[in-house]
Amino acid sequence: MDEREIQRAGYPLTIPDTLLRSEVMQRACATRNFREIFRLVNRRTGSSHAAMAAAIGKMTSSRVSDIIRGVRGVRGQQVIERVADGFGIPGDMLGVPPRPWEGLPKSTGMDRISVETMGECRPDARPVTNLPVHLTVTQTSSGFTLPGRWNSDRAAMDSFRMADRQLGGGHLYGAVTHYLNNSVAPRIFGAENVGSTAETFMAAAALTEMAGWMAHDSGQGLRARRHFEHALPFAQAGSDHALGSHILASMSHLALQMDHSHEAVTLARSGQEAMKAGPFIPALTARLHAMEGRALARTGHEAASRRAIDASAEFLTRMPCEPPSVWISEFDMASLAIEEALCLQDLGQYSAAARKAEQAVALRSGDRARSRAFGQISLAVIRAKMGDLDVACTIGNELLESCRALGSLRITQQLADLADALHPFKAEAPVAGLLDSLLMVNRQRSLLLAGIVSLDTVGETP
């Protein structure tokens, strides 16, 4: 078969799992050393340069030869994704989104581990709708039960969550990813995979979602999104519809933070749809409607935003039909109050927004330092926009001390937003003093955040 015939046939390649799991391949993928990747595939599979080019698509055998000789490189997201698809390399190994084929059984019968195929077929298993194809799962997990390991995961998650609320995610990101890589991943992808259970997948999902928020807290939105995208299939493999919907709510929240308002609406509604496959959980349903309301307010759809927020408040008054998933963080009246305040602020309704922000701060206890700080900053910004400078400055000065040690770049960014809101009034003595204090605190926080985490050097989640 000559090169033109190979190109027409779309000649496939199958990399042995032993090569994918080898240290040399993992190191080459982690560093995107495509010369080494191509060399390994060429030698270990016996594939010709023409076959490799055909598998990747839109590439010639001469270019493959140039890459192997180090004359040319591989650049561009789309080209890297084609390499992943052509060689069967999972997306996370090359730092790209999960590939559509991940988890599908190999026609050769190879034993690649995947969250989709590790489990039993259940008659009532239902796919979650309105999701990207590569995130749709219809099978659930079974196997050996490891209650001791499950309790260890629960204890780790609870400890991380408690510390995160007090300290901010920047302090903890490396610890969470280390736990995922060294404690959870071997039970799913490594030699311990015989112990993969629904609980293991749910722990992987919850902790990966937590790592996503910690990455976002450290200013790494794209990395956070990748964590969320990795967490969702784990939740589905664990047959926890609620946890999957919770992750979709987080994805909606992140999309809004990244100014992708229309995507945020779609994700929130997908989460609401996914909830139909599992038990009714009022607080989670309320969160999904609140995320929808926030996104609609950002796009100027006042009436639709109001309906979504009202629905969120109504759901919070209902009793659950069964206890919620232990892997889901809470959404309460304080959470709703701050989301509603931000909706009203986006709609320019500052008086009503201030009342909701005050409610959020009053409801948020001292053990939720970061959440309380978010509420205080939002209230100070709203008051500044209303021209209530004395109130804004009083709130601003009160929160500065509590913000100093919080490892959250989002806090730093919101303090900068407060400074921007106050800047038009810098001639006022109280405002000038607060602006100086804000500048000093943010300088201190920059040094703190620079020292506690380097996201480009810590490990990725499974």
Side-chain angles (χ1 to χ4, degrees):
M1 180 179 288
D2 65 22
E3 180 172 336
R4 285 176 297 179
E5 290 174 319
I6 290 172
Q7 292 282 4
R8 284 197 299 269
Y11 199 81
L13 291 181
T14 300
I15 295 181
D17 286 346
T18 52
L19 175 57
L20 281 174
R21 292 197 293 265
S22 69
E23 182 179 348
V24 63
M25 174 61 89
Q26 292 188 12
R27 183 169 58 248
C29 289
T31 58
R32 290 188 171 181
N33 183 345
F34 286 99
R35 179 185 184 185
E36 182 68 5
I37 292 170
F38 277 53
R39 186 186 67 82
L40 288 168
V41 172
N42 177 235
R43 291 185 179 182
R44 295 286 293 273
T45 68
S47 300
S48 67
H49 294 181
M52 292 170 65
I56 296 168
K58 298 182 181 179
M59 186 173 287
T60 64
S61 60
S62 60
R63 183 175 177 184
V64 171
S65 178
D66 287 344
I67 292 170
I68 291 174
R69 291 186 294 113
V71 176
R72 301 181 66 177
V74 174
R75 297 181 179 85
Q77 178 86 355
Q78 292 183 344
V79 180
I80 295 172
E81 289 177 357
R82 291 206 310 272
V83 170
D85 293 337
F87 293 169
I89 301 174
D92 62 347
M93 289 182 66
L94 287 172
V96 297
R99 312 313 305 146
W101 47 263
E102 288 188 44
L104 297 177
K106 285 187 177 182
S107 59
T108 58
M110 300 295 286
D111 62 344
R112 178 181 296 173
I113 300 169
S114 70
V115 295
E116 285 86 351
T117 57
M118 294 175 62
E120 62 183 356
C121 293
R122 221 179 59 188
D124 59 342
R126 295 175 52 189
V128 178
T129 58
N130 295 333
L131 300 179
V133 171
H134 68 275
L135 298 180
T136 299
V137 177
T138 58
Q139 293 178 311
T140 61
S141 178
S142 67
F144 297 91
T145 302
L146 296 173
R149 195 82 71 114
W150 175 53
N151 290 335
S152 175
D153 291 334
R154 278 285 316 282
M157 186 194 69
D158 289 343
S159 296
F160 287 136
R161 182 174 288 161
M162 184 178 299
D164 176 49
R165 290 170 174 173
Q166 284 289 340
L167 302 174
H171 290 283
L172 302 165
Y173 179 84
V176 172
T177 54
H178 182 271
Y179 183 87
L180 279 162
N181 284 325
N182 292 277
S183 179
V184 180
R187 282 176 269 153
I188 298 178
F189 300 110
E192 300 178 42
N193 69 74
V194 293
S196 296
T197 65
E199 289 85 2
T200 302
F201 285 121
M202 288 186 284
L207 287 161
T208 302
E209 189 259 355
M210 179 180 287
W213 276 119
M214 290 176 175
H216 179 49
D217 225 14
S218 301
Q220 296 288 330
L222 293 177
R223 189 182 293 258
R225 179 172 180 163
R226 194 157 69 243
H227 281 305
F228 291 156
E229 290 175 345
H230 290 176
L232 191 54
F234 288 134
Q236 294 172 320
S239 193
D240 192 328
H241 297 288
L243 182 54
S245 295
H246 171 73
I247 294 167
L248 285 167
S250 294
M251 294 172 75
S252 175
H253 199 151
L254 179 65
L256 190 66
Q257 297 268 324
M258 298 175 71
D259 292 325
H260 300 153
S261 302
H262 295 290
E263 180 184 349
V265 173
T266 300
L267 288 165
R269 289 174 177 171
S270 293
Q272 295 167 31
E273 180 69 20
M275 285 294 294
K276 297 176 182 178
F280 173 61
I281 301 175
L284 177 54
T285 306
R287 183 187 178 204
L288 287 160
H289 280 82
M291 291 302 98
E292 180 186 5
R294 280 284 314 278
L296 288 168
R298 184 69 62 83
T299 58
H301 292 82
E302 180 176 351
S305 174
R306 183 72 265 170
R307 287 194 296 270
I309 292 295
D310 288 346
S312 179
E314 196 274 331
F315 280 118
L316 274 182
T317 66
R318 299 193 193 180
M319 293 295 293
C321 62
E322 63 179 63
S325 170
V326 296
W327 304 104
I328 295 174
S329 56
E330 66 179 343
F331 184 85
D332 54 16
M333 290 304 298
S335 305
L336 175 59
I338 191 59
E339 300 299 345
E340 189 169 4
L342 293 170
C343 280
L344 293 165
Q345 180 183 336
D346 286 337
L347 293 169
Q349 300 175 20
Y350 295 122
S351 295
R355 289 193 295 272
K356 286 298 178 181
E358 288 166 355
Q359 180 186 358
V361 173
L363 289 172
R364 189 56 77 214
S365 60
D367 65 337
R368 301 285 296 274
R370 182 182 53 189
S371 179
R372 182 177 173 83
F374 282 141
Q376 289 176 304
I377 296 171
S378 296
L379 178 57
V381 169
I382 293 166
R383 286 294 185 184
K385 290 184 176 182
M386 293 173 66
D388 295 341
L389 301 182
D390 289 339
V391 176
C393 289
T394 298
I395 298 167
N397 284 306
E398 286 176 356
L399 68 87
L400 283 181
E401 189 59 35
S402 63
C403 286
R404 291 180 189 274
L406 284 172
S408 169
L409 188 64
R410 287 191 293 155
I411 291 288
T412 302
Q413 292 166 341
Q414 290 202 12
L415 289 174
D417 291 341
L418 175 56
D420 288 343
L422 290 168
H423 192 265
F425 312 101
K426 62 182 180 180
E428 302 284 342
V431 173
L434 178 56
L435 286 172
D436 288 342
S437 297
L438 284 168
L439 180 61
M440 180 181 67
V441 167
N442 262 359
R443 283 176 176 169
Q444 293 172 343
R445 289 181 52 74
S446 296
L447 293 173
L448 169 72
L449 291 169
I452 60 177
V453 64
S454 176
L455 289 174
D456 289 331
T457 58
V458 296
E460 290 284 358
T461 60

